[in-house]
């Protein structure tokens, strides 16, 4: 009986070893390309699975102006990245934007900084054309190994009325994502133009724009009687959207946590670059976003242009940011430093409304006293006011651009249908 069991055990071991040797031999022949030996012998299931995992990554392409980049752009890039393994983004040139839409607010080098900082972007192509021509499409497919070209469900028409993505659709290499509701560059420029008009006319007894922006009311406003009202924030914040933008990971037990706070209104290249420097000083960057009320109190009732949740999403999309505090306090307290285990508090040299005359009123008095405060040299001399001044300086051009875009956006909203996904 024992002898029989011993023979059975030895036979089982021999079979197992034989199977492993055979499988390894088959795998080696397939990988070496040896068709003469066993041309039609299929791989065992396990090895077939391993080989499939080594497939070339699916590369998707999405282009855009990304002018005054906002959370809607970021959400589009997030959705595009979910349709493949690698996302390549084309940033349209200044000349192409001017020819097809009107003058851009932010120049190409600033838009490149913004797109490169989005955490879902793997590579970028500068000076991309506005229209997907056959030549450029073949370049995407052959040189950049692009599998699919992505765009939102809103139409993108050329000046002659044709579809900018017609060739990609005809080639069967086009995929569509859902447009992010409630925001567009046109909308944001409109908010600033409306803000400028209200500030320049005390005769109009309007309620504070800041209250309208912060409440997210989707009403039409016509400040001048011209009949070209500009929509204020349509944004409807959801917990799901915040989760989609979050990193879903916290700091390690020994992480060096760096804290930086601010308004981050009209999130721009200056914000991105100072956040990049802050992140390099530690293992985890925690960013505090001030409330709408705090910003209005320190910068005037026409600020912020973007409300708290809009600003939070823009910061969360930045690859240098690990976590945000939505509605951070103005003063950095000892309790806050302890609660979040903050090792260093930083602030840039380029900022608005940061001239303090008394140390006891300084929002960073506590971290300064603790010896954990550091002021960073800002790489770019850009503030939210810089962006607003650009709009004011070219008021007529942007007003004309917005009137044209508002007509197309109105048509989109009136005819839109539900698009699954996000």
């Amino acid at each position: 009986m024992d002898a029989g069991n011993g023979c059975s055990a030895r036979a089982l071991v021999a079979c197992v070893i034989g199977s492993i040797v055979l499988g390894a031999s088959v795998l080696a022949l397939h990988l070496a390309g040896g068709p003469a030996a066993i041309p039609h012998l299929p791989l065992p299931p396990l090895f077939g699975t391993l080989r499939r995992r080594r497939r070339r990554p699916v590369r998707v392409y999405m282009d855009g102006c990304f002018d005054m980049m906002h959370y809607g752009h970021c959400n589009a890039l997030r959705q595009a990245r979910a349709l493949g393994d690698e996302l390549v983004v084309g940033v349209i040139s200044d000349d192409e934007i001017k020819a097809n839409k009107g003058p851009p607010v932010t120049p190409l080098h600033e838009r490149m900084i913004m797109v490169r900082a989005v955490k879902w972007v793997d590579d970028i192509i500068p000076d991309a054309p506005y229209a997907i021509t056959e030549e450029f499409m073949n370049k995407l497919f052959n040189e950049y190994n692009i599998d699919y070209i992505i765009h939102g469900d809103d139409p993108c028409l050329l000046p002659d009325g044709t579809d900018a993505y017609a060739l990609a659709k005809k080639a069967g290499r086009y995929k569509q994502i859902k447009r992010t509701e409630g925001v567009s560059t046109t909308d944001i420029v409109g908010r600033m133009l409306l803000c400028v008009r209200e500030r320049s006319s005390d005769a109009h007894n309007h309620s504070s724009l800041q209250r309208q922006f912060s409440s997210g009311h989707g009403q039409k406003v016509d400040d001048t009687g011209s009949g070209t009202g500009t929509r204020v924030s349509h944004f409807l914040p959801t917990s799901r959207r915040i989760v989609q933008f979050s990193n879903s990971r916290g700091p390690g037990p020994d992480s060096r946590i760096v804290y930086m706070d601010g308004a981050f209104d009209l999130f721009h290249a200056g914000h991105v670059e100072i956040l990049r420097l802050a992140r390099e000083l530690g293992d985890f960057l925690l960013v505090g976003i001030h409330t709408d009320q705090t910003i209005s109190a320190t910068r005037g009732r026409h600020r912020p242009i973007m409300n708290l949740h809009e600003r939070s999403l823009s910061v969360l999309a930045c690859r240098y940011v690990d976590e945000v505090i939505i509605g951070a306090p103005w003063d950095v307290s000892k309790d806050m430093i302890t609660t979040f285990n903050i090792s260093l508090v930083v602030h840039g040299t380029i900022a608005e409304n940061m001239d303090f005359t008394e140390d006891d009123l300084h929002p960073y008095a506590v971290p300064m006293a603790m010896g954990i405060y550091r002021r960073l040299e800002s790489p770019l001399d850009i503030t939210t006011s810089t962006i607003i001044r650009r709009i004011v300086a070219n008021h007529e051009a942007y007003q004309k651009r917005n009137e044209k875009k508002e007509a197309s956006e109105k048509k989109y909203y009136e005819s839109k249908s539900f698009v699954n996904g996000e």
Side-chain angles (χ1 to χ4, degrees), residues 351-406:
E352 298 181 82
N353 300 94
M354 290 301 294
D355 298 325
F356 304 101
T357 56
E358 299 180 30
D359 289 342
D360 59 341
L361 296 179
H362 202 295
Y364 304 113
V366 171
M368 290 172 74
M370 295 174 64
I372 61 169
Y373 174 78
R374 181 172 172 182
R375 203 169 185 204
L376 303 180
E377 189 69 32
S378 299
L380 296 177
D381 187 7
I382 303 174
T383 65
T384 300
S385 292
T386 304
I387 307 299
I388 294 176
R389 282 195 296 270
R390 292 176 185 175
I391 297 291
V392 174
N394 294 279
H395 179 276
E396 290 185 5
Y398 290 123
Q399 183 67 50
K400 185 176 180 181
R401 166 181 158 173
N402 262 34
E403 288 173 0
K404 181 179 178 181
K405 284 292 293 178
E406 282 172 354

Side-chain angles (χ1 to χ4, degrees), residues 237-257:
T238 64
S239 58
R240 181 165 173 262
R241 178 71 76 234
I242 293 174
V243 169
Q244 289 170 337
F245 274 54
S246 298
N247 289 336
S248 302
R249 66 174 182 271
D254 300 318
S255 294
R256 176 176 169 82
I257 300 174

Side-chain angles (χ1 to χ4, degrees), residues 116-129:
R116 190 178 284 113
V118 176
K119 59 187 176 185
W120 298 290
V121 174
D122 297 291
D123 198 5
I124 57 176
I125 301 175
D127 289 312

Side-chain angles (χ1 to χ4, degrees), residues 125-360:
I125 301 175
D127 289 312
Y130 190 81
I132 302 291
T133 62
E134 188 168 0
E135 179 184 2
F136 185 69
M137 185 172 69
N138 290 332
K139 184 176 182 179
L140 290 176
F141 295 157
N142 300 323
E143 294 185 25
Y144 291 95
N145 296 317
I146 298 300
D147 295 289
Y148 297 101
I149 295 172
I150 316 296
H151 187 63
D153 64 325
D154 52 319
C156 183
L157 302 179
L158 299 175
D160 62 3
T162 58
D163 186 351
Y165 296 91
L167 290 175
K169 293 175 181 178
K170 185 177 180 181
R173 306 281 286 272
Y174 175 85
K175 288 190 175 183
Q176 184 172 280
I177 59 170
K178 185 175 182 179
R179 168 179 166 148
T180 303
E181 299 292 348
V183 68
S184 67
T185 300
T186 303
D187 169 64
I188 296 170
V189 171
R191 298 190 206 182
M192 284 187 282
L193 291 174
L194 186 59
C195 177
V196 170
R197 290 199 298 267
E198 186 187 66
R199 292 178 67 178
S200 64
S201 179
D202 293 332
H204 288 242
N205 185 24
H206 293 296
S207 61
S208 169
L209 278 179
Q210 189 277 327
R211 287 199 299 273
Q212 295 172 26
F213 295 159
S214 302
S215 64
H217 292 164
Q219 63 206 22
K220 287 264 186 181
V221 177
D222 186 354
D223 246 46
T224 63
S226 63
T228 57
T230 302
R231 287 182 293 108
V232 295
S233 178
H234 274 251
F235 181 55
L236 300 175
T238 64
S239 58
R240 181 165 173 262
R241 178 71 76 234
I242 293 174
V243 169
Q244 289 170 337
F245 274 54
S246 298
N247 289 336
S248 302
R249 66 174 182 271
D254 300 318
S255 294
R256 176 176 169 82
I257 300 174
V258 179
Y259 178 74
M260 186 174 198
D261 61 9
F264 299 101
D265 195 15
L266 299 177
F267 196 62
H268 52 70
H271 292 137
V272 167
E273 287 295 270
I274 197 66
L275 290 171
R276 177 180 59 80
L277 293 185
R279 182 62 176 80
E280 291 174 356
L281 297 176
D283 308 304
F284 192 91
L285 179 58
L286 175 65
V287 178
I289 316 293
H290 293 150
T291 66
D292 298 340
Q293 291 75 19
T294 295
I295 298 169
S296 292
T298 57
R299 303 187 186 183
R301 70 186 186 95
H302 299 285
R303 301 283 192 90
I305 302 297
M306 310 290 284
N307 69 40
L308 175 60
H309 289 94
E310 292 176 312
R311 293 181 283 113
S312 297
L313 288 178
S314 293
V315 176
L316 271 174
C318 181
R319 67 172 70 249
Y320 310 120
V321 176
D322 296 289
E323 179 65 289
V324 304
I325 299 175
I326 302 175
W330 176 253
D331 298 309
V332 181
S333 66
K334 178 67 168 63
D335 179 69
M336 179 179 169
I337 292 171
T338 302
T339 298
F340 292 101
N341 195 27
I342 295 170
S343 303
L344 182 66
V345 177
V346 298
H347 200 271
T349 53
I350 302 297
E352 298 181 82
N353 300 94
M354 290 301 294
D355 298 325
F356 304 101
T357 56
E358 299 180 30
D359 289 342
D360 59 341

Side-chain angles (χ1 to χ4, degrees), residues 36-109:
I38 43 173
H40 301 296
L41 188 61
L43 283 173
L46 173 61
F47 295 112
T49 301
L50 290 174
R51 188 174 181 184
R52 282 195 299 273
R53 289 176 182 171
R54 295 175 182 172
R55 64 173 173 78
R56 182 178 69 81
V58 175
R59 287 168 62 84
V60 296
Y61 172 83
M62 186 173 198
D63 60 15
C65 302
F66 304 107
D67 193 18
M68 292 183 59
M69 194 162 185
H70 49 72
Y71 66 91
H73 292 133
C74 298
N75 192 46
L77 295 174
R78 180 190 65 80
Q79 292 181 78
R81 180 64 169 74
L83 295 176
D85 303 305
E86 296 174 0
L87 173 61
V88 179
V89 179
V91 185
I92 296 171
S93 69
D94 292 343
D95 290 340
E96 286 275 279
I97 296 175
K98 188 174 182 179
N100 289 277
K101 301 180 71 173
V105 179
T106 49
L108 178 63
H109 71 276

